[in-house]
């Protein structure tokens, strides 16, 4: 099935997108599996090629974010799951990053669960023939069900991670980190094109813009100006946001877990209060942050599970909450007590 706003390429055509050759090296091709696994392993190309009992063929649809699709393509290789099982993935592993043997060490990442459930394939053949170098041969990833930028060419390393590490396109050019073509998750900010998103990340000026659902996890946005911006459902997990100005911004239901928000400000601007309803501040660093007349209804500052210590926001005397803001939290006594680690000013 063709996802929204995609077009079929002509029969027999397969465009080349991005890098067109791997990094030159005399080392024989091998794929290593490193990170959160019981045993780190190296699989030479020959081992993968001769691993008969695990070699499968899989028919997949390719959907490139640049709007071309190519349906029913037959790739052969080893399921990612086979290799992961072989290395025994640790229980704290959450993400997988695929790294290319290419000049820019191109990479992309996925939640481990997704990579496995989408039947990601370590591909060696295309329509029964060895994969051409220009299309990622001798070994590339094929991740069905995601835009094709999630399928790294010239696979050299599989890294198993606890935290996500954004890939090349996702971090540099504003491509969406989830990349589901049927949900049209093309760009980090829906409604903006890739050039516009890149410009936003470069200038760190979000002020007055409607950027709801923007994907900005893990980015360095120190000193961001997001005054009066629309950031509903935004994803800022683990982002560097020290000194950011969110005055008058709408951050309702935003995901801020793990973000560095030291000295960030959440004050009114242009007659609008900072709307932080339902925002998730767990494990953020809020030292020096200023909340003034902001709405915190339903916001979360610490976890309730066993590891709540780790999930608690960092709040001390330099964090400022005024009385009005605290009232909006409709806090439980426990929550209030937690928050009042900071300084309450009226
Ligand atoms: N190493 C590497 N892998 C990559 C890229 C790249 O530039 N370098 N581009 C990605 C993108 S955006 C797409 S659409 C597909 C393109 O694969 P193709 O050139 O075989 O069509 O590879 C993906 N994997
Ligand atoms: Mo792409």
């Amino acid at each position: 099935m063709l996802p929204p706003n995609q077009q079929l390429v002509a029969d027999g055509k397969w465009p080349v997108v991005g890098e067109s050759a791997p990094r030159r090296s005399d080392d024989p091709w091998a794929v290593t599996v490193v990170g959160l696994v019981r045993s780190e392993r190296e699989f030479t190309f020959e081992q993968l090629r001769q691993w008969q009992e695990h070699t499968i063929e899989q028919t997949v649809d390719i959907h490139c974010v640049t709007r071309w699709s190519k349906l029913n393509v037959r790739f052969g290789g080893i399921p990612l799951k086979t290799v992961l099982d072989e290395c025994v993935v640790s229980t704290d592993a959450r993400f997988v990053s695929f790294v290319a043997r290419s000049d820019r060490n191109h990479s992309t990442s996925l939640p481990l669960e997704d990579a496995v459930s989408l039947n990601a394939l370590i591909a060696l053949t295309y329509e029964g023939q060895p994969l051409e170098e220009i299309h990622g041969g001798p070994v590339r990833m094929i991740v069905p069900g995601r835009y094709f930028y999630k399928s790294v060419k010239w696979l050299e390393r599989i890294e198993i991670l606890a935290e996500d590490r954004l890939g090349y396109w996702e971090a540099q050019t504003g491509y969406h980190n989830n990349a589901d073509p049927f949900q049209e998750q093309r760009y980090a900010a829906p409604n903006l094109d890739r050039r516009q998103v890149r410009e936003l990340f470069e200038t760190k000026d979000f002020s007055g813009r409607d950027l709801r659902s923007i994907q900005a996890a893990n980015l360095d946005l120190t000193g961001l100006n997001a005054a009066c911006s629309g950031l509903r459902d935004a994803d800022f997990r683990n982002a560097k946001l020290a000194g950011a100005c969110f005055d008058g911004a709408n951050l309702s239901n935003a995901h801020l877990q793990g973000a560095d928000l030291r000295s960030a400000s959440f004050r009114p601007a242009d007659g609008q209060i900072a709307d932080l309803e339902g925002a998730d501040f767990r494990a953020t660093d809020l030292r020096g942050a200023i909340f003034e007349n902001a709405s915190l209804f339903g916001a979360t500052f610490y976890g309730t599970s066993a590891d709540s210590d780790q999930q608690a926001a960092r709040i001390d005397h330099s964090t400022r909450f005024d009385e009005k803001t605290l009232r909006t939290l409709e806090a439980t006594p426990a929550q209030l007590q937690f928050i009042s680690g900071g300084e309450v000013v009226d």
Side-chain angles (χ1 to χ4, degrees), residues 17-18 63-68 147-150 169 175 194:
V17 184
H63 307 297
C64 177
V65 72
T66 59
R67 300 184 191 276
W68 59 266
Y147 284 123
F148 210 28
Y149 57 87
K150 290 290 180 184
W169 298 110
Y175 279 169
R194 158 182 162 196

Side-chain angles (χ1 to χ4, degrees), residues 14-19 100 104 106 135 140 148 151 153-154 169:
W14 182 0
V16 174
V17 184
E19 296 174 295
R104 63 179 177 218
H106 192 102
H135 288 303
R140 79 174 295 166
F148 210 28
S151 295
K153 301 193 271 194
W154 316 295
W169 298 110

Side-chain angles (χ1 to χ4, degrees), residues 1-16:
M1 203 168 76
L2 207 55
N5 298 307
Q6 292 290 113
Q7 283 176 14
L8 287 178
V9 288
D11 264 353
K13 286 272 176 341
W14 182 0
V16 174

Side-chain angles (χ1 to χ4, degrees), residues 149 168-177 185-189 192-198 201 215 219:
Y149 57 87
Y168 175 82
W169 298 110
E170 296 88 333
Q172 303 289 316
T173 69
Y175 279 169
H176 198 290
N177 195 28
Q185 294 171 329
R186 293 177 200 275
Y187 305 113
L192 296 189
D193 67 27
R194 158 182 162 196
R195 191 186 49 76
Q196 292 170 306
V197 179
R198 185 171 46 199
F201 290 158
Q215 304 286 304
L219 295 181

Side-chain angles (χ1 to χ4, degrees), residues 97-108:
S97 174
F98 303 107
V99 185
R101 185 194 278 193
S102 81
D103 285 332
R104 63 179 177 218
N105 296 317
H106 192 102
S107 73
T108 193

Side-chain angles (χ1 to χ4, degrees), residues 45-197:
F45 172 67
E46 278 310 312
Q47 282 171 332
L48 292 171
R49 201 173 62 85
Q50 288 168 25
W51 206 359
Q52 309 289 352
E53 83 254 41
H54 287 297
T55 299
I56 61 158
E57 293 221 306
Q58 205 168 306
T59 300
V60 310
D61 296 338
I62 296 175
H63 307 297
C64 177
V65 72
T66 59
R67 300 184 191 276
W68 59 266
S69 292
K70 183 174 171 63
L71 307 185
N72 299 315
V73 187
R74 193 158 50 90
F75 287 103
I78 311 291
L80 175 70
K81 175 144 194 323
T82 302
V83 161
L84 296 182
D85 288 348
E86 198 72 16
C87 304
V88 190
V89 171
S90 315
T91 50
D92 50 348
R94 294 287 175 275
F95 295 90
V96 54
S97 174
F98 303 107
V99 185
R101 185 194 278 193
S102 81
D103 285 332
R104 63 179 177 218
N105 296 317
H106 192 102
S107 73
T108 193
S109 69
L110 287 142
L112 253 184
E113 229 174 83
D114 293 359
V116 171
S117 67
L118 293 164
N119 298 318
L121 182 72
I122 300 170
L124 287 72
T125 65
Y126 160 73
E127 302 296 344
Q129 299 299 313
L131 191 59
E132 282 178 83
E133 182 181 89
I134 201 164
H135 288 303
V139 192
R140 79 174 295 166
M141 283 309 303
I142 291 293
V143 180
R146 291 293 177 262
Y147 284 123
F148 210 28
Y149 57 87
K150 290 290 180 184
S151 295
V152 146
K153 301 193 271 194
W154 316 295
L155 178 68
E156 179 173 57
R157 197 164 69 247
I158 298 173
E159 283 186 58
I160 310 301
L161 307 165
E163 304 281 344
D164 198 5
R165 185 200 307 137
L166 287 190
Y168 175 82
W169 298 110
E170 296 88 333
Q172 303 289 316
T173 69
Y175 279 169
H176 198 290
N177 195 28
N178 196 51
D180 180 346
F182 289 93
Q183 295 184 55
E184 268 209 277
Q185 294 171 329
R186 293 177 200 275
Y187 305 113
N191 314 326
L192 296 189
D193 67 27
R194 158 182 162 196
R195 191 186 49 76
Q196 292 170 306
V197 179

